[in-house]
């Protein structure tokens, strides 16, 4: 068991709405990364947080934002939802420094459907 | 620009035989490679990894081979079992960039009894 938990597991939102996804990191891990997995594709890196600060960002627009809390849990916020945002959102936790990290352990994901 | 590629979307193997999953990459800055297994409705599960200073890493039935000159790695599963049926993702990282992972598209392995 990885110890990374995500909520909710499934979510349906309407285009234009805002959504917040949550992730609880594995105990002892100080780094959280978020990935978007579209159907039939591999996960795509959204951004990473290390000790509450953003530590790298993928090719996603600013309406994708995040937070990491002192207990290293994390949120992913998406504003102005678009149909193409429908995907599985994965949270992964790891431990290390700003530049070096151990293997990432993933949560079960949140399936977001935008209608 | 797909920096990590898994060119076979699916693979079917008989139980007890060897499964070989392949992965190619283009970025020579990658120095750490990982394989993840994913079942439906679950997140990816870490399977095995290899550093670029090695050419082989073995863990039980799973062995990963790295050919840096060809920018190619492969995962061997011997013997294959029906429970190995899943989607396998190859991923690469540049650890100095915080361990951000670049994934391939995945290969769906089906092991038939």
């Amino acid at each position: 068991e990885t110890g990374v938990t995500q909520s909710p597991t499934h979510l349906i939102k309407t285009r234009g709405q805002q959504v917040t996804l949550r992730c609880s990191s594995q105990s002892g891990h100080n780094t959280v990364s978020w990935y978007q997995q579209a159907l039939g594709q591999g996960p795509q890196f959204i951004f990473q947080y290390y000790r509450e600060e953003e530590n790298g960002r993928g090719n996603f627009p600013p309406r994708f934002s995040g937070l990491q809390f002192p207990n290293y849990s994390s949120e992913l916020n998406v504003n102005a939802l678009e149909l193409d945002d429908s995907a599985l959102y994965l949270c992964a936790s790891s431990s290390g420094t700003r530049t070096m990290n151990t293997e990432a352990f993933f949560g079960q994901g949140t399936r977001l459907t935008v209608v | 620009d797909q920096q990590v590629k898994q060119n076979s979307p699916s693979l079917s193997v008989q139980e007890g035989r060897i499964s070989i999953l392949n992965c190619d990459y283009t970025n020579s800055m990658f120095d750490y490679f990982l394989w993840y297994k994913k079942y439906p409705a679950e997140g990816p599960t870490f399977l095995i990894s290899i550093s670029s200073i090695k050419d082989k890493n073995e863990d039980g039935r799973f062995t990963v081979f790295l050919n840096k000159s060809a920018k190619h790695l492969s995962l061997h599963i011997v013997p294959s079992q029906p429970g190995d049926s899943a989607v396998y993702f190859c991923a690469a990282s540049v650890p100095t960039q915080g361990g951000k992972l670049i994934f391939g598209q995945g290969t769906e392995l089906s092991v038939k009894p």
Side-chain angles (χ1 to χ4, degrees), chain A residues 35 37 40-43 45 48 55 88 90 98-101 103-108, chain B residues 32 34 36 38 41-44 46 49 89 95-101 103-105:
Chain A
Y35 292 81
Q37 186 182 8
Q41 300 295 318
F45 176 75
Q48 181 184 84
N55 184 42
L88 180 68
L90 294 162
R98 181 172 295 281
T99 56
M100 300 293 292
N101 260 267
E103 291 82 6
F105 293 87
F106 285 82
Q108 82 281 14
Chain B
Y32 196 64
L34 308 90
Y36 283 85
K38 187 179 184 301
E42 294 184 12
F46 169 71
S49 62
F89 290 100
T96 53
Q97 292 181 9
K100 156 188 157 182
L101 296 174
F103 283 87
Q105 308 94 310

Side-chain angles (χ1 to χ4, degrees), chain B residues 21-82:
Chain B
L21 296 100
N22 293 303
C23 179
D24 297 294
Y25 63 95
T26 57
N27 189 341
S28 57
M29 294 297 292
F30 291 146
D31 63 355
Y32 196 64
F33 303 90
L34 308 90
W35 285 93
Y36 283 85
K37 179 169 76 171
K38 187 179 184 301
Y39 294 116
E42 294 184 12
T45 301
F46 169 71
L47 200 55
I48 192 169
S49 62
I50 188 167
S51 166
S52 60
I53 62 174
K54 296 185 176 181
D55 56 16
K56 177 183 174 181
N57 188 27
E58 193 171 353
D59 184 1
R61 297 186 296 116
F62 303 90
T63 303
V64 55
F65 295 92
L66 176 62
N67 182 334
K68 283 186 66 178
S69 61
K71 294 191 177 67
H72 177 84
L73 66 156
S74 60
L75 174 68
H76 293 210
I77 307 174
V78 182
S80 302
Q81 299 173 354

Side-chain angles (χ1 to χ4, degrees), chain B residues 82-102:
Chain B
D84 296 329
S85 297
V87 178
Y88 288 78
F89 290 100
C90 165
S93 80
V94 181
T96 53
Q97 292 181 9
K100 156 188 157 182
L101 296 174
I102 309 296

